[in-house]
Amino acid sequence: MEFLKEILGEEYPKFEAAINTYNSLPDNKDKQVKIANLGGGGYVSIEKYNTAVTERDNNKTLLDTANNALEQFKDVDVTELQGEITKLKKDLSSKETEFSTKLAEIEYTSAVQEYFKGFKFTSELAKKAALEEFKKKELKLENGQFLGGDDFMKQLKESNPTAFEDEEDEKKPVIIKGTKQRKQGEKMTLSEAMKYKNEHPEVDITTLI
């Protein structure tokens, strides 16, 4: 309150005594009067003061947290860390590409196997060779169909007729030496079947009679 001396002059002591007397009363313990020069910024409301204290404490907490986090990375080489992150991303991308490629290969091979069920070969070796030739063409698979697949198999069959079973074989009559000509599905007599069995031991005689 010193700044009031110039304003109040001789009245200042009385004013000061009155303020002190008021503040000294027990009933006024929580209602103290404090006078400040507002022109010098000497007064701040309790609300602003409490807000400032809270902000100070919050900022201190944030600062402590940031300092602790920085302390953990004190010895970390940022450039090296960035390099590791980049490498990890590339590895993940490479693995994803590898997985997609393998999945596509499995689907393609499965489709080829299914497609080849429509053809009959004279041996497993012939079938395997045909499969290899077909795969080498890398024909595009679209909607479950190999584009150009039928044309390729037709050409393969024409150039390698002995690798494929003749579709007409099943329609040809069965001719047994020493017997009459028989049509497909017609049974033999017992004597004919026994004779045929002697000439062809691998045949099941029950299928002939």
Short mmCIF file of all heavy atoms in Angstrom, two decimals, residues 73-141:
data_model
loop_
_atom_site.label_atom_id
_atom_site.label_comp_id
_atom_site.label_asym_id
_atom_site.label_seq_id
_atom_site.Cartn_x
_atom_site.Cartn_y
_atom_site.Cartn_z
N PHE A 73 15.80 -42.56 -25.68
CA PHE A 73 16.37 -42.57 -27.03
C PHE A 73 17.72 -41.86 -27.10
O PHE A 73 18.22 -41.57 -28.18
CB PHE A 73 15.40 -41.90 -28.02
CG PHE A 73 14.16 -42.69 -28.28
CD1 PHE A 73 13.00 -42.44 -27.56
CD2 PHE A 73 14.15 -43.70 -29.24
CE1 PHE A 73 11.85 -43.18 -27.80
CE2 PHE A 73 13.00 -44.43 -29.48
CZ PHE A 73 11.84 -44.18 -28.76
N LYS A 74 18.29 -41.60 -25.93
CA LYS A 74 19.53 -40.83 -25.88
C LYS A 74 20.65 -41.48 -26.69
O LYS A 74 21.39 -40.81 -27.40
CB LYS A 74 19.96 -40.67 -24.41
CG LYS A 74 21.24 -39.88 -24.23
CD LYS A 74 21.56 -39.70 -22.76
CE LYS A 74 21.81 -41.04 -22.09
NZ LYS A 74 22.22 -40.87 -20.67
N ASP A 75 20.75 -42.81 -26.59
CA ASP A 75 21.84 -43.52 -27.26
C ASP A 75 21.42 -44.17 -28.58
O ASP A 75 22.14 -45.00 -29.14
CB ASP A 75 22.39 -44.61 -26.33
CG ASP A 75 22.96 -44.01 -25.04
OD1 ASP A 75 23.53 -42.91 -25.12
OD2 ASP A 75 22.80 -44.64 -23.97
N VAL A 76 20.23 -43.83 -29.07
CA VAL A 76 19.73 -44.42 -30.31
C VAL A 76 20.22 -43.63 -31.52
O VAL A 76 20.15 -42.40 -31.54
CB VAL A 76 18.18 -44.46 -30.31
CG1 VAL A 76 17.67 -44.95 -31.67
CG2 VAL A 76 17.69 -45.37 -29.20
N ASP A 77 20.72 -44.37 -32.51
CA ASP A 77 21.14 -43.75 -33.77
C ASP A 77 19.89 -43.60 -34.64
O ASP A 77 19.36 -44.58 -35.17
CB ASP A 77 22.17 -44.63 -34.47
CG ASP A 77 22.76 -43.95 -35.70
OD1 ASP A 77 22.05 -43.13 -36.31
OD2 ASP A 77 23.92 -44.26 -36.05
N VAL A 78 19.42 -42.38 -34.79
CA VAL A 78 18.17 -42.13 -35.52
C VAL A 78 18.28 -42.60 -36.97
O VAL A 78 17.35 -43.20 -37.52
CB VAL A 78 17.82 -40.63 -35.48
CG1 VAL A 78 16.56 -40.36 -36.30
CG2 VAL A 78 17.61 -40.17 -34.05
N THR A 79 19.42 -42.36 -37.59
CA THR A 79 19.62 -42.77 -38.98
C THR A 79 19.54 -44.29 -39.11
O THR A 79 18.91 -44.84 -40.02
CB THR A 79 20.98 -42.28 -39.50
OG1 THR A 79 21.04 -40.86 -39.38
CG2 THR A 79 21.16 -42.67 -40.96
N GLU A 80 20.18 -44.98 -38.17
CA GLU A 80 20.17 -46.44 -38.18
C GLU A 80 18.76 -46.97 -37.94
O GLU A 80 18.32 -47.93 -38.58
CB GLU A 80 21.11 -46.98 -37.10
CG GLU A 80 21.17 -48.50 -37.07
CD GLU A 80 22.11 -49.01 -35.99
OE1 GLU A 80 22.81 -48.18 -35.38
OE2 GLU A 80 22.14 -50.23 -35.76
N LEU A 81 18.04 -46.31 -37.01
CA LEU A 81 16.67 -46.72 -36.72
C LEU A 81 15.78 -46.56 -37.94
O LEU A 81 14.97 -47.43 -38.26
CB LEU A 81 16.12 -45.89 -35.55
CG LEU A 81 14.68 -46.20 -35.11
CD1 LEU A 81 14.57 -47.64 -34.64
CD2 LEU A 81 14.25 -45.24 -34.01
N GLN A 82 15.93 -45.46 -38.65
CA GLN A 82 15.15 -45.22 -39.85
C GLN A 82 15.46 -46.27 -40.91
O GLN A 82 14.58 -46.75 -41.63
CB GLN A 82 15.44 -43.81 -40.40
CG GLN A 82 14.60 -43.43 -41.62
CD GLN A 82 13.12 -43.41 -41.30
OE1 GLN A 82 12.71 -42.90 -40.26
NE2 GLN A 82 12.30 -43.96 -42.20
N GLY A 83 16.74 -46.65 -40.98
CA GLY A 83 17.14 -47.68 -41.93
C GLY A 83 16.50 -49.02 -41.61
O GLY A 83 16.08 -49.75 -42.52
N GLU A 84 16.43 -49.35 -40.33
CA GLU A 84 15.81 -50.61 -39.91
C GLU A 84 14.32 -50.62 -40.25
O GLU A 84 13.77 -51.64 -40.68
CB GLU A 84 15.99 -50.81 -38.40
CG GLU A 84 17.42 -51.11 -37.97
CD GLU A 84 17.89 -52.46 -38.50
OE1 GLU A 84 17.05 -53.36 -38.66
OE2 GLU A 84 19.10 -52.59 -38.77
N ILE A 85 13.67 -49.47 -40.04
CA ILE A 85 12.24 -49.37 -40.34
C ILE A 85 12.00 -49.55 -41.84
O ILE A 85 11.09 -50.27 -42.27
CB ILE A 85 11.69 -48.01 -39.88
CG1 ILE A 85 11.72 -47.93 -38.34
CG2 ILE A 85 10.26 -47.80 -40.39
CD1 ILE A 85 11.32 -46.58 -37.80
N THR A 86 12.85 -48.91 -42.66
CA THR A 86 12.72 -49.03 -44.11
C THR A 86 12.94 -50.47 -44.56
O THR A 86 12.20 -51.00 -45.41
CB THR A 86 13.75 -48.12 -44.81
OG1 THR A 86 13.53 -46.76 -44.40
CG2 THR A 86 13.62 -48.22 -46.32
N LYS A 87 13.94 -51.13 -43.98
CA LYS A 87 14.24 -52.52 -44.32
C LYS A 87 13.07 -53.43 -43.95
O LYS A 87 12.71 -54.34 -44.70
CB LYS A 87 15.51 -52.98 -43.59
CG LYS A 87 15.93 -54.41 -43.91
CD LYS A 87 17.22 -54.77 -43.20
CE LYS A 87 17.66 -56.19 -43.53
NZ LYS A 87 16.67 -57.19 -43.11
N LEU A 88 12.48 -53.17 -42.78
CA LEU A 88 11.36 -53.98 -42.32
C LEU A 88 10.17 -53.85 -43.28
O LEU A 88 9.52 -54.84 -43.62
CB LEU A 88 10.94 -53.55 -40.91
CG LEU A 88 9.76 -54.30 -40.29
CD1 LEU A 88 10.06 -55.78 -40.18
CD2 LEU A 88 9.43 -53.73 -38.91
N LYS A 89 9.91 -52.63 -43.73
CA LYS A 89 8.81 -52.40 -44.67
C LYS A 89 9.06 -53.15 -45.98
O LYS A 89 8.15 -53.75 -46.55
CB LYS A 89 8.66 -50.90 -44.95
CG LYS A 89 8.07 -50.12 -43.79
CD LYS A 89 7.90 -48.65 -44.16
CE LYS A 89 7.25 -47.87 -43.02
NZ LYS A 89 7.09 -46.44 -43.37
N LYS A 90 10.31 -53.13 -46.46
CA LYS A 90 10.64 -53.83 -47.70
C LYS A 90 10.49 -55.33 -47.54
O LYS A 90 9.99 -56.03 -48.43
CB LYS A 90 12.08 -53.49 -48.12
CG LYS A 90 12.26 -52.08 -48.64
CD LYS A 90 13.69 -51.84 -49.09
CE LYS A 90 13.86 -50.44 -49.66
NZ LYS A 90 15.26 -50.18 -50.09
N ASP A 91 10.92 -55.85 -46.38
CA ASP A 91 10.81 -57.29 -46.12
C ASP A 91 9.34 -57.72 -46.10
O ASP A 91 8.98 -58.77 -46.65
CB ASP A 91 11.48 -57.64 -44.79
CG ASP A 91 12.99 -57.53 -44.85
OD1 ASP A 91 13.52 -57.49 -45.98
OD2 ASP A 91 13.64 -57.48 -43.79
N LEU A 92 8.51 -56.92 -45.45
CA LEU A 92 7.08 -57.24 -45.37
C LEU A 92 6.45 -57.22 -46.76
O LEU A 92 5.64 -58.09 -47.11
CB LEU A 92 6.37 -56.25 -44.45
CG LEU A 92 6.69 -56.37 -42.95
CD1 LEU A 92 6.01 -55.24 -42.18
CD2 LEU A 92 6.25 -57.71 -42.40
N SER A 93 6.83 -56.23 -47.56
CA SER A 93 6.30 -56.12 -48.92
C SER A 93 6.75 -57.30 -49.76
O SER A 93 5.98 -57.86 -50.55
CB SER A 93 6.77 -54.81 -49.55
OG SER A 93 6.32 -54.70 -50.88
N SER A 94 8.02 -57.70 -49.59
CA SER A 94 8.57 -58.83 -50.33
C SER A 94 7.85 -60.13 -49.97
O SER A 94 7.53 -60.95 -50.84
CB SER A 94 10.07 -58.96 -50.05
OG SER A 94 10.61 -60.07 -50.72
N LYS A 95 7.60 -60.32 -48.66
CA LYS A 95 6.91 -61.52 -48.21
C LYS A 95 5.49 -61.58 -48.76
O LYS A 95 4.99 -62.64 -49.14
CB LYS A 95 6.87 -61.55 -46.68
CG LYS A 95 8.20 -61.86 -46.03
CD LYS A 95 8.64 -63.29 -46.33
CE LYS A 95 9.94 -63.62 -45.64
NZ LYS A 95 10.42 -64.98 -45.98
N GLU A 96 4.84 -60.43 -48.79
CA GLU A 96 3.47 -60.37 -49.31
C GLU A 96 3.45 -60.73 -50.80
O GLU A 96 2.58 -61.48 -51.26
CB GLU A 96 2.89 -58.97 -49.11
CG GLU A 96 1.44 -58.83 -49.55
CD GLU A 96 0.87 -57.46 -49.28
OE1 GLU A 96 1.58 -56.62 -48.70
OE2 GLU A 96 -0.29 -57.22 -49.66
N THR A 97 4.44 -60.21 -51.54
CA THR A 97 4.53 -60.52 -52.97
C THR A 97 4.82 -62.01 -53.18
O THR A 97 4.23 -62.65 -54.06
CB THR A 97 5.65 -59.69 -53.62
OG1 THR A 97 5.36 -58.29 -53.45
CG2 THR A 97 5.75 -60.00 -55.11
N GLU A 98 5.72 -62.55 -52.36
CA GLU A 98 6.08 -63.96 -52.46
C GLU A 98 4.87 -64.85 -52.18
O GLU A 98 4.63 -65.84 -52.89
CB GLU A 98 7.20 -64.28 -51.46
CG GLU A 98 7.66 -65.73 -51.49
CD GLU A 98 8.74 -66.01 -50.45
OE1 GLU A 98 9.27 -65.04 -49.87
OE2 GLU A 98 9.05 -67.19 -50.22
N PHE A 99 4.10 -64.50 -51.16
CA PHE A 99 2.91 -65.27 -50.81
C PHE A 99 1.88 -65.23 -51.94
O PHE A 99 1.30 -66.26 -52.30
CB PHE A 99 2.30 -64.72 -49.53
CG PHE A 99 1.03 -65.41 -49.11
CD1 PHE A 99 1.06 -66.66 -48.51
CD2 PHE A 99 -0.20 -64.82 -49.35
CE1 PHE A 99 -0.11 -67.30 -48.14
CE2 PHE A 99 -1.38 -65.45 -48.98
CZ PHE A 99 -1.33 -66.70 -48.37
N SER A 100 1.68 -64.04 -52.50
CA SER A 100 0.70 -63.89 -53.59
C SER A 100 1.12 -64.71 -54.81
O SER A 100 0.29 -65.33 -55.48
CB SER A 100 0.57 -62.41 -53.97
OG SER A 100 0.07 -61.66 -52.88
N THR A 101 2.44 -64.72 -55.09
CA THR A 101 2.95 -65.47 -56.24
C THR A 101 2.74 -66.97 -56.04
O THR A 101 2.30 -67.68 -56.96
CB THR A 101 4.45 -65.19 -56.43
OG1 THR A 101 4.64 -63.78 -56.67
CG2 THR A 101 5.00 -65.97 -57.61
N LYS A 102 3.06 -67.46 -54.84
CA LYS A 102 2.89 -68.89 -54.56
C LYS A 102 1.42 -69.30 -54.63
O LYS A 102 1.09 -70.38 -55.14
CB LYS A 102 3.45 -69.22 -53.18
CG LYS A 102 4.98 -69.21 -53.12
CD LYS A 102 5.48 -69.64 -51.75
CE LYS A 102 7.00 -69.69 -51.72
NZ LYS A 102 7.51 -70.11 -50.40
N LEU A 103 0.55 -68.44 -54.13
CA LEU A 103 -0.88 -68.73 -54.17
C LEU A 103 -1.37 -68.82 -55.61
O LEU A 103 -2.15 -69.71 -55.97
CB LEU A 103 -1.65 -67.65 -53.41
CG LEU A 103 -3.16 -67.85 -53.30
CD1 LEU A 103 -3.47 -69.14 -52.57
CD2 LEU A 103 -3.81 -66.67 -52.57
N ALA A 104 -0.88 -67.90 -56.45
CA ALA A 104 -1.28 -67.90 -57.86
C ALA A 104 -0.77 -69.16 -58.55
O ALA A 104 -1.47 -69.75 -59.40
CB ALA A 104 -0.72 -66.66 -58.56
N GLU A 105 0.44 -69.60 -58.20
CA GLU A 105 1.01 -70.82 -58.79
C GLU A 105 0.19 -72.05 -58.41
O GLU A 105 -0.06 -72.93 -59.25
CB GLU A 105 2.46 -71.00 -58.33
CG GLU A 105 3.43 -69.99 -58.92
CD GLU A 105 4.83 -70.15 -58.37
OE1 GLU A 105 5.01 -70.98 -57.45
OE2 GLU A 105 5.75 -69.46 -58.85
N ILE A 106 -0.23 -72.10 -57.15
CA ILE A 106 -1.04 -73.23 -56.69
C ILE A 106 -2.38 -73.27 -57.43
O ILE A 106 -2.84 -74.33 -57.88
CB ILE A 106 -1.27 -73.13 -55.17
CG1 ILE A 106 0.05 -73.35 -54.42
CG2 ILE A 106 -2.31 -74.16 -54.71
CD1 ILE A 106 -0.05 -73.12 -52.93
N GLU A 107 -3.00 -72.11 -57.56
CA GLU A 107 -4.29 -72.04 -58.26
C GLU A 107 -4.14 -72.43 -59.73
O GLU A 107 -4.99 -73.13 -60.28
CB GLU A 107 -4.85 -70.62 -58.14
CG GLU A 107 -5.27 -70.24 -56.72
CD GLU A 107 -5.76 -68.81 -56.63
OE1 GLU A 107 -5.54 -68.05 -57.61
OE2 GLU A 107 -6.35 -68.44 -55.61
N TYR A 108 -3.04 -72.00 -60.34
CA TYR A 108 -2.81 -72.31 -61.76
C TYR A 108 -2.59 -73.81 -61.96
O TYR A 108 -3.18 -74.43 -62.85
CB TYR A 108 -1.60 -71.52 -62.26
CG TYR A 108 -1.42 -71.55 -63.76
CD1 TYR A 108 -2.05 -70.62 -64.58
CD2 TYR A 108 -0.61 -72.51 -64.37
CE1 TYR A 108 -1.89 -70.64 -65.95
CE2 TYR A 108 -0.44 -72.54 -65.74
CZ TYR A 108 -1.08 -71.60 -66.53
OH TYR A 108 -0.91 -71.64 -67.89
N THR A 109 -1.74 -74.39 -61.10
CA THR A 109 -1.44 -75.82 -61.20
C THR A 109 -2.70 -76.65 -60.98
O THR A 109 -2.94 -77.65 -61.67
CB THR A 109 -0.38 -76.23 -60.16
OG1 THR A 109 0.82 -75.49 -60.40
CG2 THR A 109 -0.07 -77.72 -60.24
N SER A 110 -3.51 -76.24 -60.02
CA SER A 110 -4.76 -76.95 -59.75
C SER A 110 -5.69 -76.90 -60.96
O SER A 110 -6.34 -77.90 -61.31
CB SER A 110 -5.45 -76.33 -58.53
OG SER A 110 -6.69 -76.95 -58.28
N ALA A 111 -5.74 -75.75 -61.61
CA ALA A 111 -6.59 -75.59 -62.80
C ALA A 111 -6.09 -76.47 -63.94
O ALA A 111 -6.88 -77.05 -64.70
CB ALA A 111 -6.62 -74.12 -63.22
N VAL A 112 -4.76 -76.58 -64.08
CA VAL A 112 -4.18 -77.43 -65.14
C VAL A 112 -4.55 -78.89 -64.90
O VAL A 112 -4.95 -79.61 -65.82
CB VAL A 112 -2.64 -77.27 -65.18
CG1 VAL A 112 -2.03 -78.31 -66.12
CG2 VAL A 112 -2.27 -75.87 -65.65
N GLN A 113 -4.41 -79.33 -63.64
CA GLN A 113 -4.74 -80.72 -63.30
C GLN A 113 -6.21 -81.02 -63.62
O GLN A 113 -6.54 -82.09 -64.14
CB GLN A 113 -4.46 -80.96 -61.81
CG GLN A 113 -3.00 -80.87 -61.41
CD GLN A 113 -2.18 -82.06 -61.89
OE1 GLN A 113 -2.73 -83.02 -62.43
NE2 GLN A 113 -0.87 -81.99 -61.70
N GLU A 114 -7.06 -80.08 -63.30
CA GLU A 114 -8.49 -80.26 -63.56
C GLU A 114 -8.76 -80.31 -65.07
O GLU A 114 -9.56 -81.12 -65.54
CB GLU A 114 -9.27 -79.11 -62.92
CG GLU A 114 -10.78 -79.28 -62.97
CD GLU A 114 -11.27 -80.45 -62.13
OE1 GLU A 114 -10.57 -80.82 -61.16
OE2 GLU A 114 -12.35 -80.98 -62.44
N TYR A 115 -8.07 -79.46 -65.82
CA TYR A 115 -8.24 -79.41 -67.27
C TYR A 115 -7.80 -80.72 -67.93
O TYR A 115 -8.45 -81.21 -68.86
CB TYR A 115 -7.44 -78.23 -67.82
CG TYR A 115 -7.48 -78.09 -69.33
CD1 TYR A 115 -8.65 -77.75 -69.99
CD2 TYR A 115 -6.33 -78.30 -70.09
CE1 TYR A 115 -8.69 -77.61 -71.37
CE2 TYR A 115 -6.36 -78.17 -71.47
CZ TYR A 115 -7.54 -77.82 -72.10
OH TYR A 115 -7.57 -77.69 -73.47
N PHE A 116 -6.72 -81.30 -67.42
CA PHE A 116 -6.18 -82.53 -68.02
C PHE A 116 -7.02 -83.76 -67.74
O PHE A 116 -6.79 -84.82 -68.33
CB PHE A 116 -4.74 -82.75 -67.53
CG PHE A 116 -3.71 -82.23 -68.50
CD1 PHE A 116 -3.65 -80.88 -68.79
CD2 PHE A 116 -2.82 -83.08 -69.12
CE1 PHE A 116 -2.73 -80.38 -69.69
CE2 PHE A 116 -1.89 -82.60 -70.03
CZ PHE A 116 -1.84 -81.24 -70.32
N LYS A 117 -8.00 -83.63 -66.85
CA LYS A 117 -8.90 -84.76 -66.61
C LYS A 117 -9.74 -85.07 -67.84
O LYS A 117 -10.32 -86.15 -67.95
CB LYS A 117 -9.81 -84.46 -65.42
CG LYS A 117 -9.10 -84.48 -64.08
CD LYS A 117 -10.08 -84.21 -62.94
CE LYS A 117 -9.36 -84.24 -61.59
NZ LYS A 117 -10.29 -83.96 -60.47
N GLY A 118 -9.80 -84.11 -68.74
CA GLY A 118 -10.58 -84.30 -69.96
C GLY A 118 -9.82 -85.04 -71.06
O GLY A 118 -10.35 -85.21 -72.16
N PHE A 119 -8.58 -85.45 -70.77
CA PHE A 119 -7.78 -86.15 -71.78
C PHE A 119 -7.30 -87.49 -71.22
O PHE A 119 -7.04 -87.62 -70.03
CB PHE A 119 -6.56 -85.30 -72.18
CG PHE A 119 -6.92 -83.96 -72.74
CD1 PHE A 119 -7.01 -82.84 -71.91
CD2 PHE A 119 -7.19 -83.80 -74.09
CE1 PHE A 119 -7.35 -81.60 -72.41
CE2 PHE A 119 -7.53 -82.56 -74.61
CZ PHE A 119 -7.61 -81.46 -73.77
N LYS A 120 -7.20 -88.47 -72.12
CA LYS A 120 -6.71 -89.79 -71.72
C LYS A 120 -5.38 -90.06 -72.43
O LYS A 120 -5.26 -89.86 -73.64
CB LYS A 120 -7.73 -90.87 -72.10
CG LYS A 120 -9.02 -90.77 -71.29
CD LYS A 120 -9.97 -91.92 -71.64
CE LYS A 120 -11.23 -91.85 -70.79
NZ LYS A 120 -12.16 -92.97 -71.08
N PHE A 121 -4.42 -90.50 -71.64
CA PHE A 121 -3.08 -90.75 -72.16
C PHE A 121 -2.76 -92.25 -72.11
O PHE A 121 -3.33 -92.99 -71.31
CB PHE A 121 -2.04 -89.96 -71.35
CG PHE A 121 -2.24 -88.47 -71.42
CD1 PHE A 121 -3.10 -87.82 -70.54
CD2 PHE A 121 -1.59 -87.72 -72.38
CE1 PHE A 121 -3.30 -86.45 -70.61
CE2 PHE A 121 -1.78 -86.34 -72.46
CZ PHE A 121 -2.64 -85.71 -71.57
N THR A 122 -1.82 -92.63 -72.94
CA THR A 122 -1.46 -94.05 -73.01
C THR A 122 -0.58 -94.47 -71.84
O THR A 122 -0.42 -95.66 -71.57
CB THR A 122 -0.71 -94.34 -74.32
OG1 THR A 122 0.41 -93.43 -74.44
CG2 THR A 122 -1.64 -94.13 -75.51
N SER A 123 0.01 -93.49 -71.13
CA SER A 123 0.84 -93.81 -69.96
C SER A 123 0.98 -92.57 -69.09
O SER A 123 0.73 -91.45 -69.53
CB SER A 123 2.23 -94.30 -70.40
OG SER A 123 2.95 -93.23 -71.01
N GLU A 124 1.41 -92.79 -67.85
CA GLU A 124 1.64 -91.67 -66.93
C GLU A 124 2.80 -90.81 -67.42
O GLU A 124 2.82 -89.60 -67.21
CB GLU A 124 1.94 -92.20 -65.52
CG GLU A 124 0.71 -92.67 -64.77
CD GLU A 124 -0.30 -91.54 -64.57
OE1 GLU A 124 0.12 -90.41 -64.23
OE2 GLU A 124 -1.50 -91.78 -64.76
N LEU A 125 3.78 -91.46 -68.05
CA LEU A 125 4.92 -90.72 -68.58
C LEU A 125 4.48 -89.76 -69.68
O LEU A 125 4.94 -88.61 -69.74
CB LEU A 125 5.97 -91.70 -69.12
CG LEU A 125 7.28 -91.07 -69.63
CD1 LEU A 125 7.98 -90.34 -68.50
CD2 LEU A 125 8.19 -92.15 -70.22
N ALA A 126 3.58 -90.23 -70.53
CA ALA A 126 3.06 -89.38 -71.60
C ALA A 126 2.27 -88.21 -71.02
O ALA A 126 2.37 -87.07 -71.48
CB ALA A 126 2.18 -90.20 -72.53
N LYS A 127 1.50 -88.49 -69.98
CA LYS A 127 0.71 -87.44 -69.34
C LYS A 127 1.62 -86.39 -68.70
O LYS A 127 1.37 -85.18 -68.81
CB LYS A 127 -0.21 -88.05 -68.29
CG LYS A 127 -1.09 -87.04 -67.59
CD LYS A 127 -2.00 -87.71 -66.57
CE LYS A 127 -2.90 -86.69 -65.87
NZ LYS A 127 -3.80 -87.34 -64.89
N LYS A 128 2.67 -86.86 -68.03
CA LYS A 128 3.60 -85.95 -67.36
C LYS A 128 4.29 -85.04 -68.38
O LYS A 128 4.44 -83.83 -68.16
CB LYS A 128 4.63 -86.75 -66.58
CG LYS A 128 5.61 -85.88 -65.81
CD LYS A 128 6.58 -86.73 -65.01
CE LYS A 128 7.56 -85.85 -64.24
NZ LYS A 128 8.52 -86.67 -63.45
N ALA A 129 4.70 -85.63 -69.51
CA ALA A 129 5.36 -84.84 -70.55
C ALA A 129 4.41 -83.80 -71.13
O ALA A 129 4.80 -82.65 -71.39
CB ALA A 129 5.87 -85.78 -71.65
N ALA A 130 3.16 -84.20 -71.33
CA ALA A 130 2.16 -83.27 -71.87
C ALA A 130 1.91 -82.12 -70.89
O ALA A 130 1.76 -80.96 -71.29
CB ALA A 130 0.86 -84.01 -72.16
N LEU A 131 1.87 -82.45 -69.61
CA LEU A 131 1.68 -81.42 -68.58
C LEU A 131 2.81 -80.39 -68.60
O LEU A 131 2.56 -79.18 -68.52
CB LEU A 131 1.62 -82.07 -67.19
CG LEU A 131 0.26 -82.59 -66.73
CD1 LEU A 131 0.41 -83.43 -65.47
CD2 LEU A 131 -0.69 -81.43 -66.46
N GLU A 132 4.03 -80.88 -68.73
CA GLU A 132 5.18 -79.98 -68.75
C GLU A 132 5.13 -79.05 -69.95
O GLU A 132 5.41 -77.85 -69.85
CB GLU A 132 6.48 -80.79 -68.76
CG GLU A 132 6.75 -81.56 -67.48
CD GLU A 132 6.88 -80.64 -66.27
OE1 GLU A 132 7.45 -79.54 -66.43
OE2 GLU A 132 6.39 -81.01 -65.19
N GLU A 133 4.77 -79.61 -71.10
CA GLU A 133 4.68 -78.80 -72.31
C GLU A 133 3.57 -77.75 -72.18
O GLU A 133 3.72 -76.61 -72.62
CB GLU A 133 4.41 -79.69 -73.52
CG GLU A 133 5.59 -80.57 -73.91
CD GLU A 133 6.81 -79.75 -74.29
OE1 GLU A 133 6.65 -78.74 -75.00
OE2 GLU A 133 7.92 -80.11 -73.86
N PHE A 134 2.48 -78.16 -71.57
CA PHE A 134 1.34 -77.24 -71.39
C PHE A 134 1.73 -76.08 -70.48
O PHE A 134 1.41 -74.92 -70.75
CB PHE A 134 0.15 -78.00 -70.81
CG PHE A 134 -1.13 -77.22 -70.80
CD1 PHE A 134 -1.98 -77.23 -71.89
CD2 PHE A 134 -1.48 -76.45 -69.69
CE1 PHE A 134 -3.16 -76.49 -71.88
CE2 PHE A 134 -2.65 -75.72 -69.67
CZ PHE A 134 -3.49 -75.74 -70.78
N LYS A 135 2.42 -76.39 -69.38
CA LYS A 135 2.82 -75.35 -68.43
C LYS A 135 3.81 -74.37 -69.04
O LYS A 135 3.81 -73.18 -68.72
CB LYS A 135 3.42 -75.99 -67.18
CG LYS A 135 2.41 -76.71 -66.30
CD LYS A 135 3.09 -77.32 -65.08
CE LYS A 135 2.09 -78.04 -64.19
NZ LYS A 135 2.75 -78.65 -63.01
N LYS A 136 4.67 -74.88 -69.93
CA LYS A 136 5.66 -74.01 -70.57
C LYS A 136 4.99 -72.91 -71.40
O LYS A 136 5.55 -71.83 -71.57
CB LYS A 136 6.58 -74.83 -71.46
CG LYS A 136 7.58 -75.69 -70.70
CD LYS A 136 8.45 -76.48 -71.67
CE LYS A 136 9.43 -77.38 -70.93
NZ LYS A 136 10.26 -78.18 -71.87
N LYS A 137 3.81 -73.20 -71.90
CA LYS A 137 3.11 -72.22 -72.73
C LYS A 137 2.61 -71.03 -71.90
O LYS A 137 2.40 -69.94 -72.43
CB LYS A 137 1.92 -72.88 -73.43
CG LYS A 137 2.31 -73.98 -74.41
CD LYS A 137 3.12 -73.43 -75.57
CE LYS A 137 2.31 -72.52 -76.46
NZ LYS A 137 3.06 -72.06 -77.64
N GLU A 138 2.45 -71.26 -70.57
CA GLU A 138 1.98 -70.21 -69.67
C GLU A 138 0.73 -69.52 -70.21
O GLU A 138 0.63 -68.29 -70.27
CB GLU A 138 3.08 -69.17 -69.42
CG GLU A 138 4.30 -69.76 -68.72
CD GLU A 138 5.36 -68.71 -68.43
OE1 GLU A 138 5.22 -67.57 -68.94
OE2 GLU A 138 6.32 -69.01 -67.70
N LEU A 139 -0.22 -70.34 -70.60
CA LEU A 139 -1.47 -69.80 -71.14
C LEU A 139 -2.25 -69.06 -70.05
O LEU A 139 -2.25 -69.47 -68.88
CB LEU A 139 -2.33 -70.95 -71.69
CG LEU A 139 -1.69 -71.74 -72.84
CD1 LEU A 139 -2.57 -72.92 -73.22
CD2 LEU A 139 -1.47 -70.84 -74.05
N LYS A 140 -2.88 -68.00 -70.43
CA LYS A 140 -3.62 -67.18 -69.47
C LYS A 140 -4.89 -67.91 -69.01
O LYS A 140 -5.63 -68.46 -69.83
CB LYS A 140 -3.99 -65.84 -70.10
CG LYS A 140 -4.68 -64.88 -69.13
CD LYS A 140 -4.96 -63.54 -69.80
CE LYS A 140 -5.63 -62.59 -68.82
NZ LYS A 140 -5.94 -61.27 -69.45
N LEU A 141 -5.09 -67.91 -67.70
CA LEU A 141 -6.28 -68.53 -67.11
C LEU A 141 -7.31 -67.44 -66.85
O LEU A 141 -7.07 -66.51 -66.09
CB LEU A 141 -5.91 -69.24 -65.80
CG LEU A 141 -7.06 -69.93 -65.06
CD1 LEU A 141 -7.64 -71.05 -65.91
CD2 LEU A 141 -6.57 -70.48 -63.72
#
